Amino acid sequence: MPFDQGGLQDVCRAVRQRRSPAWAVAAALLAPSAVFLAAFTYWPILSATLRALTEQRFGQAPSWGLGNFTRLFADDRFATAVGNSALYALGTIGPSLLLALAFALALRESGRLNALLRTMLVLPLLIPLVAAAALFTFILLPGGGLLDWHLAKLGIGASNWLGSPDTALGAIIAITIWKNTGYYMLFFLAGLAGIPEEYHEAAKLDGAGPFTRLRRITLPLLGPTLGFVFIIALLNALTQVDHVVTMTRGGPSDSTNMILYYIYQQSEQNMDHGLAAAATVVSVAGLLALAMLALRTLERGIHYES
Amino acid sequence: MKANRAPVRLLVCAAALLWLVPFAWMAVAALRPQVAGALDAASLLPTGPFTLANFAEAWRSGRFPVWYLNSVIVCGGILAIQCVTVSLAGYAFARLRFPGSNWVFTAFLLQLLLPPVVLIVPNLEMITRLGLYDSLGGIMAPYCASAFGVFLMRQTFRSIPRDFEDAAQVDGATRLQAIRHVLLPLAAPGLAAFAIVSVTAHWNEFLWPLMVVSSPRNQVLTVGLASFTASAESGADWGLMAAGTMLVAGPLLLGFLAFQRRFVSSLVFTGLK
Amino acid sequence: MRILRAAAAALGLLAGAAIAPALAATDIDFFFPVPVQGKLANEMQALVERFNKENPDIRVTAVYTGSYDDTNVKTRAAIQAGRPPAASMQSANFVREYVITGDAMPLDDLIRKDGAAPADYMQRFWPALRVNAMEGGRVYGIPFHNSTPLLYINEAAFKEVGLDPAKPPSTWAEWVEAAKKLTRRDGTNTTRWGLMLPATYDYLGWITSGLVMSNGGAYYNEYWGGEVFYNTASTIGAVQFLDDLVHKHKVMPSGVNDANAVTNAFFSGRSAMMVLSTGSLSFVRDNMKLPYRTAFLPFNIAAAVPIGGASLIIPKGNSPERVAAAWKLINWFVSPEIAGHWSRFTGYFAPRIAAYDLPEMKAFMASQPDAKVALDQLAYARSWFATYNTVAVRKALEDQVQAVLNGKIKAPEAMALAQRNADALLKPYVDQGALKLPQ
């Protein structure tokens, strides 16, 4: 019976079907986006792959081969960059998610003080990373900078935060945590607001303490939000290198070299486009793999909730 | 529970104050008169004479009007084109059933994981080939399609019942008219949220504009600020550097403080949907 | 309507007539770095405006492109994009690489068109500058401003510890001795360092090459861009000297300090001596309130310093009109009057010998003894390190020296590593050059 689902819907479906086929309409509507996607996402991947497979050494004719990849994996600097990126990702994602969650849990209730504190934590989100880098260049200045100056008052000697390979990456990580934690806190706040109060009430009635409730109710229901924020934090960790570009330029001794900065260096400074392309291909593959992994966890979380 | 609150509250207050320190220093240093070799450049105490000289000098030696204008053009331009591309594509995925729609959607989503900055080298080549090197259009081009926006619009459209546009179409409206006059107004909150996220992201973008643009007249705020602070730092002009940074950070900070709730709910809204 | 239309047309004609002469001007862009300090960028803009006024048929847009390294990146990107700047100020040691990659225009024909022989033209500049300006016997870069590393000393601190500031250390032995006396400690805290020097990319390589040359070394092959001498006794000795300053004599702080931190410490008295470019002379003059003086860089085997500074190149790919306009700009920049003015304003010395014959310059040199020191050191100046893939090969050394300064590695091992990395980077060029033999 054609009209047992609801008369209007069926009439409209009939009306729609008399027009152009769905795929033609879809193609027309998707075309604007598709053009840009093709030009600036898919074609670049293809061209980078082609360039990566083209070996062109000084004074020689270009030829096909895996030479760029072999050189890439043999390059100590690339290994260092990958290691630094991994350290940086771990150092920023873990602490900032933990802090963001903690702040969100502590500040989720309404009230003027809470609103003020939340605002203070969120402000860094609004300035460009290069502005943060400028401020922190002074803060981390050895001797006369903000940190050392105040530490001196406590009797602690000056340290060259950005000038020592032991602490430079830590300094970069600290800047990122300062910048992004408030942003992640916002997502957690919304996630927490989405958990019905009844769950907590019921658990309280059952005698569950605050930590039990956190573990059994809050965190599981926050799953999708956690997954989402994790992916954003991961992407940020791998793509935000503004402070490296302006403050440390990969140094000292390559200790703040990251994958994206390595690509920038090879392409712009060393003009080794084959190597830069190979590094691009490898990082795209790695990024996709990592993100797929994270997405799958996110999917699982969503299914759990629904 | 109340007994436990106090120490937690204290900790969070301390953390928030710590978070504010860089901004506090920025404000104090910007207003502090410049004394070469001053030993108290790091002091957070707003003592002594206040001066606006740093702001005047920053305005004079930087090119803030040009940078602001360019950033506005870039962010506005990107947003305008994005609104078109994401609405159309979002509609297609939300309302149309066509073979392979899942694959195509995945292909779109892939871009979420590949922000243009990762593909910076081949994108630069593409821009150059299109003759857009050293132009504002070159900065805008890779961002005009936004997988994030498509995803968001799809979710938003899906949450709107079909009845409205069906009614419009029965009345004789074309699909495009239905989208424009019926769906988009209903999807306004989602679009507004997307707009705020998009503008914030592109206002703060640095590496890509740095690579694309070389003429001073095409510099955006982030690139201009980086060169401004680099030269201020090399002269140890911390007050100047702080003032310049404040000139850049100012608008968004003020905008945030004025439209806090909208801002926050947009950022969150887009994330959760 | 007709009157309006006519008026509009007339206005259009008038506007066109006003714009036309401006349109007829050759528009050129000029990339310049200012490695030292912001006021120099403003002064450069002012100079360019003056040129534009004096030459109404040319309109130069000066583009400040950051540090020497950044300017290199920007210029190459512009060349790649098919939009080369008409003129670009490059670190003097980058000229060789622009020639190797075929991106710089030889200037011999332009010189000849002006009626001079290239060899004679180059006689206008100090001898030490000529090596970096030329490649294969042809002129590619015109020296714009130059520097050598200088030793700046805090006179009060010297007197305080019984040293005579009029007799600054001239050998490494004297240097270490003075630094030890000048270093002041308060328990485990050092309240005043004997010596500080910038150890960031570019600066570190430059100063290290100076120390290597003072240690009798050549550092790099000045005749051909395919060789560097990192793993040699003279280099290892110089790097070991830096290591000792930090870890053995404890007169220098460990870690990488940039020029800001170094000048900050010197101005506030937290460091008694510093090695810095002569390009910072006027900056130091403006900011150092305590009495100070400049001296030659101390040596171990023989006095020798590298030159620093920048040269002006014309990238290939510019139209003849742009090239002609750029050539005019370049020659204006290196005219005795302008070169002298820039030198007095910045502290860089004027590459143009004739600039020092002008009365303003003579008066200035008489009143500024530290500027005279910089000029006198020119007698010992040698060319600046320049190879194929200069920046990467330079960084191969700098990364290791930074690690040495941080106590991560010892000099012999560090230099062996640096040499290995540098050779890997130079290999493509070497394979097409010295190791390319007839079959």
Side-chain angles (χ1 to χ4, degrees):
Chain A
M1 302 297 281
F3 290 95
D4 59 348
Q5 289 288 327
L8 184 61
Q9 286 187 9
D10 296 319
V11 167
C12 294
R13 206 177 299 138
V15 166
R16 273 194 295 262
Q17 279 163 351
R18 248 183 270 136
R19 298 176 180 195
S20 2
W23 64 263
V25 181
L29 292 173
L30 291 174
S33 292
V35 162
F36 284 106
L37 269 182
F40 296 108
T41 304
Y42 287 105
W43 172 247
I45 296 178
L46 191 63
S47 91
T49 313
L50 287 174
R51 183 69 87 110
L53 293 170
T54 309
E55 294 180 52
Q56 174 148 45
R57 309 300 270 132
F58 176 80
Q60 291 172 352
S63 61
W64 294 110
L66 291 171
N68 291 322
F69 287 100
T70 38
R71 275 193 307 132
L72 184 71
F73 292 120
D75 190 354
D76 288 337
R77 300 188 97 137
F78 183 65
T80 309
V82 172
N84 287 340
S85 291
L87 272 174
Y88 178 67
L90 279 169
T92 52
I93 297 176
S96 41
L97 287 198
L98 270 170
L99 277 173
L101 185 59
F103 287 143
L105 285 169
L107 295 175
R108 65 179 140 177
E109 279 153 38
S110 53
R112 282 186 138 202
L113 181 61
N114 278 358
L116 179 67
L117 293 174
R118 284 196 302 257
T119 305
M120 285 160 77
L121 293 170
V122 163
L123 283 181
L125 149 70
L126 300 166
I127 63 170
L129 188 51
V130 287
L135 294 176
F136 273 86
T137 302
F138 176 76
I139 293 176
L140 297 170
L141 198 70
L146 197 70
L147 191 57
D148 275 356
W149 199 76
H150 286 98
L151 282 179
K153 300 225 165 135
L154 296 173
I156 305 175
S159 299
N160 194 348
W161 305 100
L162 288 171
S164 164
D166 296 331
T167 51
L169 189 60
I172 297 288
I173 287 176
I175 298 174
T176 308
I177 293 178
W178 176 79
K179 180 102 180 25
N180 291 337
T181 299
Y183 185 45
Y184 304 150
M185 177 188 75
L186 290 179
F187 291 109
F188 286 132
L189 279 171
L192 286 172
I195 298 175
E197 217 13 63
E198 302 91 64
Y199 290 22
H200 287 288
E201 297 297 321
K204 265 193 231 172
L205 282 174
D206 281 347
F211 283 117
T212 319
R213 273 181 289 143
L214 185 69
R215 239 177 352 115
R216 291 289 175 78
I217 300 176
T218 315
L219 285 182
L221 286 177
L222 224 59
T225 313
L226 266 166
F228 178 78
V229 177
F230 177 81
I231 294 180
I232 294 206
L234 184 65
L235 275 174
N236 279 342
L238 295 171
T239 57
Q240 282 179 346
V241 292
D242 303 353
H243 37 2
V244 173
V245 173
T246 52
M247 292 172 96
T248 60
R249 292 180 160 83
S253 302
D254 255 0
S255 59
T256 56
N257 203 357
M258 316 266 193
I259 298 179
L260 191 57
Y261 191 73
Y262 177 86
I263 293 174
Y264 168 77
Q265 258 186 339
Q266 293 309 323
S267 161
E268 297 296 299
Q269 288 178 359
N270 300 351
M271 269 135 356
D272 195 339
H273 300 292
L275 204 59
T280 304
V281 169
V282 168
S283 57
V284 165
L287 198 57
L288 285 177
L290 272 171
M292 290 298 182
L293 210 67
L295 266 175
R296 217 178 285 148
T297 330
L298 176 64
E299 287 290 307
R300 233 177 274 143
I302 289 178
H303 289 155
Y304 177 90
E305 180 184 329
S306 52
Chain B
M1 277 334 96
K2 285 286 165 78
N4 285 347
R5 284 300 159 97
V8 172
R9 267 295 171 83
L10 222 61
L11 270 174
V12 178
C13 277
L17 279 171
L18 203 63
W19 241 254
L20 206 57
V21 163
F23 288 117
W25 177 78
M26 178 179 75
V28 169
L31 291 167
R32 192 181 280 142
Q34 277 287 91
V35 176
L39 292 171
D40 70 336
S43 167
L44 283 173
L45 297 170
T47 56
F50 293 123
T51 172
L52 290 176
N54 290 323
F55 290 101
E57 176 67 17
W59 191 262
R60 193 194 64 80
S61 58
R63 304 176 83 227
F64 291 92
V66 173
W67 298 337
Y68 270 119
L69 184 65
N70 286 337
S71 280
V72 167
I73 294 176
V74 166
C75 292
I78 292 179
L79 184 62
I81 301 180
Q82 276 179 336
C83 282
V84 173
T85 60
V86 306
S87 304
L88 295 179
Y91 175 86
F93 287 120
R95 293 289 191 242
L96 297 178
R97 296 250 169 297
F98 56 95
S101 64
N102 278 336
W103 284 112
V104 182
F105 189 57
T106 311
F108 266 67
L109 276 195
L110 224 55
Q111 197 238 15
L112 265 175
L113 308 167
L114 295 173
V117 82
V118 172
L119 298 165
I120 203 165
V121 173
N123 268 335
L124 200 59
E125 277 176 43
M126 174 61 82
I127 292 288
T128 310
R129 214 180 297 172
L130 292 171
L132 291 173
Y133 180 78
D134 196 19
S135 72
L136 294 181
I139 302 178
M140 299 196 278
Y143 294 105
C144 292
S146 166
F148 187 60
V150 170
F151 183 69
L152 191 65
M153 283 293 109
R154 184 181 90 140
Q155 300 297 94
T156 311
F157 287 150
R158 274 205 175 154
S159 69
I160 299 173
R162 277 187 191 248
D163 305 342
F164 295 104
E165 59 212 87
D166 286 350
Q169 287 189 330
V170 162
D171 278 347
T174 64
R175 219 185 274 276
L176 278 178
Q177 285 173 329
I179 297 176
R180 212 177 129 228
H181 295 288
V182 176
L183 271 187
L184 278 187
L186 288 171
L191 213 52
F194 172 68
I196 293 184
V197 172
S198 167
V199 169
T200 311
H202 296 122
W203 187 266
N204 293 338
E205 184 90 36
F206 172 68
L207 193 57
W208 174 246
L210 178 72
M211 310 259 295
V212 173
V213 160
S214 58
S215 311
R217 70 168 184 278
N218 286 327
Q219 284 178 333
V220 293
L221 212 47
T222 45
V223 176
L225 180 68
S227 72
F228 175 82
T229 54
S231 65
E233 279 162 20
S234 59
D237 281 336
W238 302 115
L240 184 64
M241 187 267 275
T245 309
M246 246 181 124
L247 284 174
V248 167
L252 269 186
L253 283 173
L254 285 172
F256 178 77
L257 290 171
F259 300 107
Q260 242 184 78
R261 214 173 278 163
R262 196 95 187 89
F263 222 90
V264 168
S265 64
S266 309
L267 290 167
V268 163
F269 177 95
T270 57
L272 290 187
K273 289 290 184 72
Chain C
M1 258 335 258
R2 268 157 136 244
I3 299 177
L4 273 173
R5 236 184 269 158
L11 263 170
L13 267 172
L14 272 172
I19 299 174
L23 278 176
T26 314
D27 255 314
I28 58 170
D29 48 351
F30 163 58
F31 286 7
F32 72 97
V34 171
V36 183
Q37 154 232 8
K39 295 207 176 83
L40 271 62
N42 290 332
E43 181 64 17
M44 174 58 80
Q45 298 281 8
L47 266 184
V48 166
E49 264 165 47
R50 185 172 148 188
F51 175 83
N52 282 333
K53 274 205 202 90
E54 289 177 17
N55 296 274
D57 56 332
I58 303 178
R59 197 166 51 220
V60 181
T61 309
V63 182
Y64 168 50
T65 37
S67 65
Y68 282 142
D69 282 355
D70 293 337
T71 304
N72 186 26
V73 169
K74 277 288 160 194
T75 305
R76 289 201 175 274
I79 294 174
Q80 261 205 328
R83 305 242 214 107
S88 175
M89 190 191 297
Q90 293 293 326
S91 190
N93 66 336
F94 287 162
V95 176
R96 166 170 272 175
E97 205 176 352
Y98 273 88
V99 179
I100 291 177
T101 56
D103 287 316
M105 236 188 81
L107 304 171
D108 290 33
D109 288 336
L110 289 166
I111 297 174
R112 282 197 200 96
K113 220 186 285 182
D114 283 346
D120 294 331
Y121 183 85
M122 290 311 289
Q123 294 294 323
R124 302 182 187 184
F125 304 102
W126 301 103
L129 309 177
R130 295 180 206 152
V131 174
N132 284 117
M134 301 174 63
E135 189 72 17
R138 300 163 95 186
V139 180
Y140 285 93
I142 305 296
F144 173 75
H145 66 200
N146 294 96
S147 59
T148 51
L150 271 187
L151 182 68
Y152 294 74
I153 66 174
N154 181 332
E155 290 193 343
F158 262 60
K159 289 194 190 132
E160 185 196 307
V161 300
L163 292 166
D164 182 4
K167 295 211 189 73
S170 60
T171 64
W172 286 8
E174 290 170 13
W175 206 5
V176 170
E177 207 195 300
K180 276 193 193 158
K181 288 200 182 131
L182 289 160
T183 306
R184 249 200 334 228
R185 264 175 263 275
D186 172 20
T188 48
N189 240 351
T190 309
T191 50
R192 185 172 70 199
W193 291 102
L195 172 69
M196 279 181 77
L197 48 86
T200 43
Y201 290 133
D202 200 12
Y203 229 132
L204 181 61
W206 190 54
I207 293 181
T208 307
S209 72
L211 292 173
V212 171
M213 290 174 188
S214 312
N215 207 19
Y219 191 69
Y220 81 108
N221 184 340
E222 79 175 39
Y223 304 104
W224 177 63
E227 268 176 348
V228 289
F229 310 123
Y230 292 162
N231 200 13
T232 53
S234 50
T235 307
I236 295 176
V239 177
Q240 184 64 52
F241 178 59
L242 283 171
D243 189 354
D244 289 347
L245 285 171
V246 176
H247 299 110
K248 184 168 166 195
H249 309 300
K250 298 201 190 350
V251 297
M252 205 165 81
S254 76
V256 171
N257 287 293
D258 66 357
N260 289 340
V262 171
T263 48
N264 241 308
F266 190 68
F267 296 158
S268 60
R270 278 181 288 117
S271 153
M273 294 191 280
M274 67 172 178
V275 177
L276 212 64
S277 165
T278 54
S280 301
L281 261 180
S282 60
F283 176 62
V284 174
R285 199 178 297 135
D286 289 341
N287 289 296
M288 181 61 167
K289 301 303 170 202
L290 313 161
Y292 73 98
R293 143 200 310 252
T294 55
F296 287 5
L297 194 70
F299 64 90
N300 197 25
I301 293 188
V305 284
I307 56 127
S311 301
L312 299 159
I313 63 166
I314 300 182
K316 276 201 194 149
N318 281 297
S319 68
E321 298 83 47
R322 282 169 66 93
V323 169
W327 183 240
K328 214 166 174 199
L329 177 67
I330 291 177
N331 276 295
W332 185 82
F333 272 137
V334 300
S335 62
E337 191 206 335
I338 303 296
H341 165 77
W342 182 257
S343 166
R344 290 189 294 279
F345 185 83
T346 61
Y348 282 100
F349 60 81
R352 189 72 185 269
I353 302 177
Y356 289 92
D357 295 331
L358 292 177
E360 315 90 79
M361 204 58 174
K362 286 199 172 138
F364 181 79
M365 298 299 280
S367 67
Q368 301 291 345
D370 46 1
K372 186 154 188 318
V373 171
L375 197 63
D376 289 342
Q377 200 177 212
L378 259 186
Y380 305 103
R382 308 219 311 240
S383 59
W384 196 358
F385 158 89
T387 64
Y388 168 75
N389 210 349
T390 302
V391 174
V393 172
R394 187 196 77 204
K395 280 192 177 166
L397 176 97
E398 289 173 325
D399 280 338
Q400 295 308 321
V401 179
Q402 285 179 342
V404 168
L405 288 172
N406 273 299
K408 300 281 166 206
I409 190 175
K410 283 294 168 196
E413 192 192 333
M415 288 305 101
L417 210 53
Q419 183 74 52
R420 207 190 67 194
N421 291 334
D423 287 342
L425 289 161
L426 290 165
K427 188 169 185 308
Y429 187 64
V430 170
D431 286 344
Q432 295 299 312
L435 289 181
K436 186 172 192 182
L437 305 169
Q439 293 302 306

